[in-house]
Amino acid sequence: MGRHRGATRVGGRPLSSIDLELTTARRDDLIIDADGRWSSTALNERVSVVAGGLRERGVVAGDAVCWQLPNGIDSVVLYRACWRLGARAVPIHHLAGPTDVARIVDAVGPRLVVSDALPSGDAVSDGPADPDLEAVVLFTSGSSGAPKGVIHTQGALAYKARLMADVHGLTPDDAILMPAPLAHISGLLNGVTVPGIVPMKTVLMAKWDPVQALQLIERERITFMIGPPTFFIGLMGAPGFSSDAVASLRLVSSGGAGVTPAFVDEASERLGCIVKRTYGSTEAPTITTSQPGDDPARARTTDGRPTGTVEVRIDTTGEVLVKGPELFTGYLDPGQNEIAFTEDGWFRTGDLGRLDDGWLTITGRIKDIIIRGGENIAVAEVEGALEAHPSVRQAVAVGVAHERLGEQVVAFLQLVPGASFDLEECRLWFESQGVARFKTPERVVVVDEIPVMAAGKPDRDALRTLL
């Protein structure tokens, strides 16, 4: 029990590493990053020698290779080189602090950690054709606070990439701008695998900058973007924004906290393109969205309908359960699978929702997770870091709605008698503990007492009312 393995075929054909990392059509501008433009031929040649370099350092099928790099060609090359050897790619979020990095490396036990220059060796021209090979371990915040390693196979990723290309109607004439980290499932699918399958021009941003994004959209004639609302709210509020600058956009797909009908209406009007809602997670990527020909009213008021053969149902508690070929096979820690899956193989998403004629609307979360600008933040991790400070007796972190980020992290603190602790001290403390900046509270509220519910748990709703 625990691991789910679905069908790994599209159009009756088995899927393999070839689907993930090779581009059949040639183009001169397959990948564009801050350092230049890469043709499909140049990319394939570099993947071949880096795969050779990994092999000469002892990497074989099933081994893990870790790296922590900003968005760019090196990450794309490492992904593809790992898949060519049948190895597991383990990208680490470029903003992760040293504490999280150490946890991930310890949990994975990699054969190799690539920290700077990519290794080179004799060219490796092809790879194993086994869709059941583990392709990637992506780390996401769990409700317990510790990062959770999510395992996807080559077949599952290839299936999802082909399906998303079809659902979004993508062709080689499209161009995608990808500011999301390639260590995210969204960045991996839409910045690495989908463009390889279509193929289409892919523009990678090392970090989100709305002014730079506007320039890239206009210069590269970007047609497609996917990400949380914070990207598009920032884009529309950037100096120099105009309808002419974004005239090439035809489709925006947005998910996460803050995707409301009002957001869809504003973004559709100002960006001059189709803006649709989507729902998914690292474990179950893009399981619902709207598709061409769907009722526009449904597309703006719900999180979409299931894609492909994925199944979605709501259990008696209101939790969203998922089963399908794109689902992850399980967590790196097998003990986490027992509560993640039902006895008959359905994945428990931790999200609350409702289904209406097959259309899904997410209404809340069971898991204690804050989603800030598309990043999952476990409240347990924030609270643990705060309570490690000698001035803090008890800490409760909550997510508070924010127009641009979706949610902000607010910390309510009960201090030891006579102590003081403010926002600046909080920032310095999180930095000293090696915690990523995006997890650091943006507001600190000191209270005399933390309110609790009948069962003794902190009453987060009551704390929010204090704001």
Side-chain angles (χ1 to χ4, degrees):
M1 189 186 89
R3 295 201 169 191
H4 171 83
R5 203 176 291 279
T8 52
R9 292 173 175 263
V10 169
R13 186 176 62 80
L15 301 170
S16 69
S17 62
I18 300 302
D19 296 272
L20 285 180
E21 56 101 357
L22 289 183
T23 300
T24 54
R26 295 186 179 183
R27 65 179 303 152
D28 295 330
D29 56 356
L30 183 67
I31 304 290
I32 300 170
D33 68 2
D35 296 324
R37 309 171 85 87
W38 293 77
S39 69
S40 52
T41 300
L43 175 62
N44 187 54
E45 289 173 351
R46 191 168 184 211
V47 169
S48 297
V49 297
V50 170
L54 295 178
R55 185 170 63 181
E56 290 175 11
R57 284 157 179 77
V59 176
V60 298
D63 284 343
V65 176
C66 288
W67 68 85
Q68 185 183 30
L69 297 169
N71 280 11
I73 190 67
D74 283 355
S75 287
V76 178
V77 168
L78 281 169
Y79 268 124
R80 293 184 172 209
C82 285
W83 297 334
R84 195 167 292 195
L85 297 176
R88 291 180 296 160
V90 187
I92 302 174
H93 195 299
H94 67 283
L95 294 179
T99 300
D100 276 348
V101 172
R103 285 176 178 173
I104 290 170
V105 172
D106 288 345
V108 172
R111 172 72 65 180
L112 184 68
V113 177
V114 180
S115 58
D116 191 5
L118 274 56
S120 298
D122 293 336
V124 177
S125 60
D126 56 17
D130 183 354
D132 289 335
L133 280 173
E134 293 178 355
V136 68
V137 183
L138 299 176
F139 280 82
T140 184
S141 291
S143 56
S144 64
K148 300 168 75 172
V150 176
I151 302 170
H152 281 282
T153 64
Q154 290 193 5
L157 288 181
Y159 166 83
K160 197 63 189 184
R162 286 188 178 277
L163 180 61
M164 287 298 96
D166 182 59
V167 166
H168 297 316
L170 300 174
T171 75
D173 293 331
D174 279 302
I176 183 172
L177 177 63
M178 179 45 64
L182 298 186
H184 272 193
I185 188 64
S186 178
L188 166 57
L189 278 176
N190 299 286
V192 181
T193 59
V194 170
I197 283 171
V198 173
M200 61 183 183
K201 179 166 64 176
T202 304
V203 182
L204 303 175
M205 295 185 70
K207 64 177 182 179
W208 173 246
D209 181 319
V211 174
Q212 183 190 20
L214 272 178
Q215 296 168 351
L216 290 171
I217 291 169
E218 189 167 21
R219 186 183 76 203
E220 302 296 341
R221 307 302 297 165
I222 298 299
T223 64
F224 175 52
M225 287 185 68
I226 186 166
T230 180
F231 286 169
F232 308 108
I233 292 171
L235 195 66
M236 293 183 291
F241 175 84
S242 69
S243 58
D244 289 341
V246 295
S248 59
L249 283 175
R250 71 167 186 84
L251 178 63
V252 160
S253 181
S254 188
V259 186
T260 63
F263 164 77
V264 172
D265 291 343
E266 180 186 8
S268 299
E269 179 180 355
R270 299 193 64 196
L271 297 178
C273 67
I274 295 172
V275 177
K276 64 177 183 175
R277 297 167 60 164
T278 186
Y279 168 72
S281 65
T282 304
E283 295 90 340
T286 314
I287 60 171
T288 64
T289 190
S290 58
Q291 300 178 39
D294 282 341
D295 180 358
R298 292 279 198 176
R300 68 182 286 277
T301 58
T302 77
D303 294 294
R305 58 186 178 90
T307 61
T309 60
V310 71
E311 299 176 71
V312 180
R313 69 180 177 89
I314 311 297
D315 74 1
T316 55
T317 69
E319 184 175 11
V320 179
L321 306 184
V322 178
K323 184 187 288 188
E326 60 271 269
L327 205 62
F328 76 132
T329 62
Y331 292 111
L332 191 64
D333 178 359
Q336 295 172 330
N337 293 328
E338 295 302 312
I339 60 173
F341 291 89
T342 67
E343 299 240 347
D344 51 352
W346 290 81
F347 171 57
R348 302 181 186 275
T349 65
D351 293 312
L352 298 171
R354 64 176 184 269
L355 280 170
D356 180 18
D357 292 333
W359 291 80
L360 177 68
T361 302
I362 300 301
T363 58
R365 288 195 300 276
I366 296 174
K367 298 176 182 177
D368 288 329
I369 296 289
I370 298 167
I371 304 178
R372 178 193 182 277
E375 303 284 359
N376 282 7
I377 303 169
V379 298
E381 182 179 10
V382 176
E383 292 166 357
L386 287 165
E387 290 176 355
H389 192 281
S391 296
V392 179
R393 172 175 288 172
Q394 184 179 3
V396 177
V398 302
V400 176
H402 186 270
E403 182 179 359
R404 181 174 62 86
L405 298 170
E407 288 184 300
Q408 278 189 319
V409 183
V410 177
F412 292 89
L413 307 178
Q414 183 181 7
L415 304 180
V416 299
S420 62
F421 189 86
D422 59 17
L423 184 59
E424 182 61 24
E425 177 69 17
C426 179
R427 289 171 178 161
L428 293 172
W429 176 249
F430 271 63
E431 183 177 356
S432 72
Q433 297 300 295
V435 181
R437 284 182 299 171
F438 67 82
K439 300 177 183 179
T440 304
E442 291 148 298
R443 185 173 177 183
V444 169
V445 181
V446 177
V447 295
D448 293 331
E449 187 177 18
I450 299 292
V452 297
M453 298 185 291
K457 294 183 178 181
D459 190 337
R460 300 177 192 275
D461 287 338
L463 287 170
R464 287 189 183 92
T465 63
L466 298 178
L467 300 174

